[in-house]
Amino acid sequence: MGSNTLFPGPNSFQRVDRSDSLAPNSTAINARQRQKVVLEPGHSPLDWANLNSNSSQRYKLRGVPPNTPPPQYVTVTKDELKLHNRKDDAWTSINGKVFNITSYIDFHPGGVKQIMKCAGRDGTQLFNKYHAWVSADRMLSNCMVGMYVN
């Protein structure tokens, strides 16, 4: 049998140097690229998960007295939501649920400025635009204040 042209030997392939094509191209960098935010020590996603797993922190994260009914029985109006628009008192609505995000602000990977865009308002559209793969219910479950009503 002659040489096998369907499966050439290792020496028959030509080596191509493509290192130039991997070099960064300044014109290809997206001008709208998000800025990196450096979180303070103790404010990583793992730190947030640990804080959430601590049962003694649950009412603190929710920001309500311990005798407050469970969130599914509490309603929050648009006017009430608007009152909570400061870094030291921030609530947002995501998918019909109101979350007290005050404790989460310094843990937000996008930084304080970005998350404050949702404070005191319905942040569903903005949240889904940038975090479609994230479950707000899971990430903020202990921060849920109540159900949003227009």
Side-chain angles (χ1 to χ4, degrees):
M1 296 174 79
S3 68
N4 188 344
T5 56
L6 292 176
F7 301 103
N11 295 331
S12 63
F13 288 105
Q14 185 179 24
R15 185 178 182 103
V16 178
D17 181 11
R18 294 181 187 236
S19 59
D20 292 340
S21 66
L22 299 176
N25 181 350
S26 61
T27 60
I29 296 174
N30 186 348
R32 293 179 8 190
Q33 188 174 15
R34 290 184 225 163
Q35 298 292 320
K36 292 280 185 181
V37 174
V38 178
L39 299 174
E40 294 295 320
H43 288 87
S44 72
L46 184 57
D47 293 317
W48 177 252
N50 287 334
L51 182 64
N52 269 287
S53 67
N54 183 341
S55 61
S56 67
Q57 293 293 321
R58 290 198 178 133
Y59 281 104
K60 281 185 179 180
L61 294 176
R62 191 173 172 209
V64 297
N67 61 346
T68 303
Q72 61 268 30
Y73 299 113
V74 176
T75 57
V76 179
T77 64
K78 186 175 185 176
D79 290 337
E80 174 70 18
L81 184 62
K82 284 181 183 180
L83 299 174
H84 304 275
N85 62 359
R86 299 182 324 273
K87 186 176 189 256
D88 65 337
D89 179 24
W91 291 7
T92 190
S93 173
I94 300 172
N95 299 321
K97 297 176 182 175
V98 176
F99 299 98
N100 181 345
I101 57 172
T102 309
S103 297
Y104 182 69
I105 290 172
D106 291 326
F107 290 86
H108 186 254
V112 173
K113 184 178 177 182
Q114 293 302 317
I115 196 167
M116 288 304 294
K117 290 178 180 180
C118 292
R121 58 181 277 230
D122 185 343
T124 302
Q125 188 175 10
L126 196 56
F127 181 87
N128 289 335
K129 179 179 179 180
Y130 293 104
H131 305 298
W133 64 93
V134 177
S135 170
D137 290 343
R138 183 164 188 206
M139 184 178 61
L140 298 171
S141 63
N142 293 326
C143 302
M144 189 174 162
V145 176
M147 305 303 292
Y148 185 60
V149 293
N150 276 331

